[in-house]
Amino acid sequence: MPAREDYFAVMFENDKLVYLDQTKLPTEEEYVETDDVERIAEAIERLEVRGAPQLGVVGAYGFALGLKRDPSNAAAERAYRRLVETRPTAVNLKWALDRAMEEYRRGSEDDAYDRLVAFAAALHRDDAEKCRRIGENGLAMFKKRSTALTHCNTGKLATGGDGTAFSVLKTAHERGMLKYVYADETRPLLQGSRLTAYELDKSGVPFSILADNAAATLFQRGEIDLVVVGADRIAANGDAANKIGTYNLAVLCAYHDVPFYIAAPTSTIDASIASGEEIPIERRDGEEVRTFRGTRVADKRHDAYNPAFDVTPAELIAGIATERALHEPPYRFER
Amino acid sequence: MPAREDYFAVMFENDKLVYLDQTKLPTEEEYVETDDVERIAEAIERLEVRGAPQLGVVGAYGFALGLKRDPSNAAAERAYRRLVETRPTAVNLKWALDRAMEEYRRGSEDDAYDRLVAFAAALHRDDAEKCRRIGENGLAMFKKRSTALTHCNTGKLATGGDGTAFSVLKTAHERGMLKYVYADETRPLLQGSRLTAYELDKSGVPFSILADNAAATLFQRGEIDLVVVGADRIAANGDAANKIGTYNLAVLCAYHDVPFYIAAPTSTIDASIASGEEIPIERRDGEEVRTFRGTRVADKRHDAYNPAFDVTPAELIAGIATERALHEPPYRFER
């Protein structure tokens, strides 16, 4: 297990997957070690592991472990099906499992387990390298030693490496360009106060959490130099879908003349859609707003408006850091 | 007790104070009946009753009940001291108690209890009448049948009548000018989802609650016709301090060209201060942000930025409804 001053979300060690159970954060720091594909599927279902890129990595390791004792075609099919059904909307998970299955079919059963472990490790390394480059490319957002504001969770707990927006913050911190971070709590699921606060603390970055609605006062007082957040999907014109509350920050930036940045791997760019108008917004269960972690705050009968994401128009985005570059407007992403 | 379709926050009946215990809302609807000044002081301390104007009314009734069995000067002093110490920053409470003490000293001990009950009832009626007039004066905010957004709690549960911003909404609803209300949950203390939702439901107004950070998407989609909120303190130039998150809404209104209104009694106007820059902002305990109704969401060690209020500059305020008028900019309130 790692020392207290470090942490990881996912690791493959001694033929086992080791992961930090994110449902226990921030009150408990519990690592789970398993080589059971069923246990891994349950971990995905229970959100013990989460975050789009991380689910791809976990899925690939899980598929490999499904072949550890029985490398037969039937075992591979079983592992694939069990894992792919855990989170039907997780695009990265299905993508990783499809590629793992292709890799399985490319060779013999004899070395299938070893080949698939190597495949998963490569995917993991590749994701970590992309995170590293996003961080490097994002450094140009910092014109001076700055105070940044971020939203939701975008670090190790969501990716296979140091994250997207979080990697930018961490890199800036390491180069002495980051003064302070304000992390929105990010209602309704509070990924900011539960997860991002944990990651900032572990990385030694000085920070405060705050209620989402308090950020505006920091802009009013001129305390925020830049905002950097992740993205779930980016259209060809640069319009970006991200966690609910992101558009609010982009408006605060525009009104107070503060640059608003996105950090995301190019795999997030969906150039097949021309603009954000084509991005469907998932409306989630109102119980997320009416309760928190089982604590009721509003009557069950009351309607709650609960969009999972919002779309920030490209004209409000000062730059998009990917593993390739810090893209600047006007954005013209191609297929 | 009132029927299910109606409710009240505070009532004086059969020589007893009857109040709705707001700490139990929204899960339980429990009225408490007492003529014990100590029990009333505890109710104020435990926030079973709350809201600046309401505390004045409750304090006055409590003082009167302190004389019910013993109208002596010592009893009056005891009741005054016990009640005034419950919430040292509640200006309305002290103001009401000071005036009640003056009234006590104006006559004899013989009829002191009756005189003080009459004094409290007059204060209560006066507050209710002010609320009614604020609602009437606020009607001019509605140019057509509109969808409004509000923040925090401003209704019966906070005042001696139908409220401030809530009275405007209720009056518009009764006159067929209100289509729908979106009520911000209002982190950290969730007065919107706990209390305003309860009041909107009781008043038959169609509504949704929402996480504070989701409001921006409603503006983006053109769904909000106006915003109306209360105020804690208004400067001579119209700058208004109100619950944290209010300034964020004012910026969203400015950016999306939606009118932003305040509704508050003239007692909220402090013409002795020239502008909002002179209004001190209370920073509250970070535990309010790190917990969610007692459920921990962030590590106790982490800093949390938790201002109780923010100040909205007058230039973002389209109008201020008081019991006198719907004041329009430029605001020049005089002492």
Side-chain angles (χ1 to χ4, degrees), chain A residues 223-251:
Chain A
E223 293 195 24
I224 305 297
D225 297 310
L226 69 128
V227 168
V228 56
V229 299
D232 286 88
R233 207 162 168 194
I234 299 172
N237 72 343
D239 291 353
N242 190 43
K243 183 64 59 200
I244 189 70
T246 301
Y247 172 67
N248 189 74
L249 290 176
V251 170

Side-chain angles (χ1 to χ4, degrees), chain A residues 4 26-27 151 180 182 185-188 190 193-194 197-198 201 207-214 216-218 220-221 244-245 247-248 251-252 254-256 283 289-293 295-299 301-305 307 309-311 313 316, chain B residues 4 26-27 151 180 182 185-188 190 193-194 197-198 201 207-214 216-218 220-221 244-245 247-248 251-252 254-256 283 289-290 292-293 295-299 301-305 307 309-313 316:
Chain A
R4 171 86 194 160
T27 40
H151 193 73
Y180 202 81
Y182 285 98
E185 65 172 9
T186 317
R187 277 281 285 154
L190 299 162
S193 45
R194 291 191 299 117
Y198 174 85
D201 184 47
F207 73 98
S208 282
I209 57 168
L210 68 163
D212 302 310
N213 68 26
T217 65
L218 296 170
Q220 189 179 28
R221 285 159 43 189
I244 189 70
Y247 172 67
N248 189 74
V251 170
L252 288 173
Y255 188 81
H256 297 90
R283 293 275 289 263
V289 178
R290 291 187 295 257
T291 62
F292 182 73
R293 280 192 158 181
T295 301
R296 179 154 298 283
V297 293
D299 195 310
R301 296 174 305 116
H302 297 165
D303 286 333
Y305 170 66
F309 304 106
D310 57 33
V311 176
L316 299 183
Chain B
R4 171 85 194 158
T27 39
H151 193 71
Y180 202 81
Y182 285 99
E185 64 173 8
T186 318
R187 277 285 282 158
L190 299 163
S193 45
R194 291 191 300 114
Y198 174 84
D201 184 47
F207 73 98
S208 283
I209 58 168
L210 69 164
D212 301 312
N213 68 25
T217 66
L218 296 171
Q220 189 178 29
R221 285 159 43 189
I244 188 68
Y247 172 66
N248 188 69
V251 170
L252 288 173
Y255 188 82
H256 297 91
R283 294 275 289 262
V289 177
R290 291 187 296 257
F292 202 94
R293 267 209 138 179
T295 300
R296 179 153 299 282
V297 295
D299 195 310
R301 297 174 304 115
H302 296 165
D303 286 333
Y305 169 67
F309 304 106
D310 56 32
V311 176
T312 298
L316 299 184

